[in-house]
Amino acid sequence: MKSTGGTPGKDKKAAGKDKKRGDKQDPLHDPVRAVAYHLRGSKGPESRNARLDDYQRIDYFRGKDLFRLLRKHPGLLDEYAPAITGKPTPANPGIKERDVQIAEIGERLMRDGYFFRIDRVYEDPRPGRTRRVKFPKFMQTLPRQMQKFTDDGEGFYGWRYDRPMSWTSILLSCLAAFAIVLMCLFPLAPIWMKKMVLYACLSILGLFFVVFVVRTVVFAVVWLLTGRHFWILPNITSDEIPIDEVFSPMWEFDDLDASGNVVGRIGAVKRLGLAGALTAVLVGLYKIAPENTKAINIHKAHDSILDLFDLNDVPKGIAGSVAAAGGESQVNAEGTANVTANATEPPIE
């Protein structure tokens, strides 16, 4: 009787090829993993980092951002939605059909363990704020019965899937390590490089000082005239947003509640009284301040800063030793001259 099984060597070889082929095509030919791979990258929904209830750090996103992203990329839905949901894409699908596909994809990703449902710990706005933050820093895991992907896109979802590291990430990691080594070798850098770093830091500090002074003056003027809280660059001091959102919006009223109503406005009489008291304090400080008629010398201030950070062209130790040597020779010369003069004078009887 003819055997239907292949030889052991061929079977092992074929299994090895299948395993190799499956490992190579896994992130591309598994539709669920392919969608997760795409959403977890830089082109996915906006993701932030927060502390979970057990003090671990996680990356999370909002469901509405996922809906908004996939609506803008219908080609991604046409490519992977039929394989994930088992339903063909209807002809000329509308927004409702797309939302159904997105909800089914989200439910499948949750069921396969790529992300899970979480929620903010503090429901009320933090002290001093009238609105809740867009991306909170403290999150908590919802119970199992609430672990469902909502059809309306509400809620937060924490990632369990870590995207495999690409060659770009490896290269950036190597560059970051190289930059740290250069920072450690900064004391050995030439004087001109240290001066460039110093001038850059002073320029940034000066820019921040000017911005904060202008913000404070504008806020005070608007508050005295209208009683409203008006800020220029309102997000510049926030530690809950990325750096690319610092300049958006450029200005904003920070005294509105969730309904858009003004809250916390102080009466005009109290504002004028507070302004008068503050003016009196400033005038009193100016009256008792000691007078100083010396003008600020920019060159001396510049030389003092360079001397403070030891950034003079001549090393500080060598300059000090040369000055000390010159002072000692001058003292010795003056002492010899005095002894000679005393020797030539006649003694006093």
Side-chain angles (χ1 to χ4, degrees), residues 205-219:
L205 290 176
L207 178 61
F208 272 100
F209 178 77
V210 172
V211 169
F212 281 110
V213 169
V214 172
R215 290 178 78 245
T216 304
V217 172
V218 172
F219 176 85

Side-chain angles (χ1 to χ4, degrees), residues 26 31 65 117 128 169 236 244 291 338:
D26 185 39
D65 293 336
R117 184 79 183 274
S169 301
I236 195 172
D244 57 346
E291 296 184 0
N338 292 334

Side-chain angles (χ1 to χ4, degrees), residues 35 38-39 45 64-77 98-99 101-103 105-106 109 149:
V35 173
H38 179 84
L39 297 177
K64 60 177 64 177
D65 293 336
L66 179 62
F67 270 82
R68 189 180 298 113
L69 174 72
L70 292 179
R71 286 170 188 163
K72 294 181 179 179
H73 297 81
L76 190 65
L77 295 176
R98 293 299 187 187
D99 289 348
Q101 288 181 327
I102 296 171
I105 290 176
L109 290 172
F149 191 81

Side-chain angles (χ1 to χ4, degrees), residues 39 42 70 74-75 85 90 96 148 170 176-177 179 186 211 247 264 277 316 346:
L39 297 177
S42 59
L70 292 179
T85 62
K96 292 184 179 179
K148 297 180 181 179
I170 295 175
F186 181 74
V211 169
F247 301 99
K316 187 175 181 180

Side-chain angles (χ1 to χ4, degrees), residues 180-222:
I180 294 175
V181 173
L182 290 180
M183 293 173 62
C184 296
L185 297 177
F186 181 74
L188 302 179
I191 297 296
W192 62 268
M193 183 178 293
K194 294 181 179 180
K195 288 184 178 180
M196 288 181 60
V197 174
L198 175 64
Y199 295 151
C201 295
L202 292 178
S203 301
I204 294 174
L205 290 176
L207 178 61
F208 272 100
F209 178 77
V210 172
V211 169
F212 281 110
V213 169
V214 172
R215 290 178 78 245
T216 304
V217 172
V218 172
F219 176 85
V221 172
V222 175

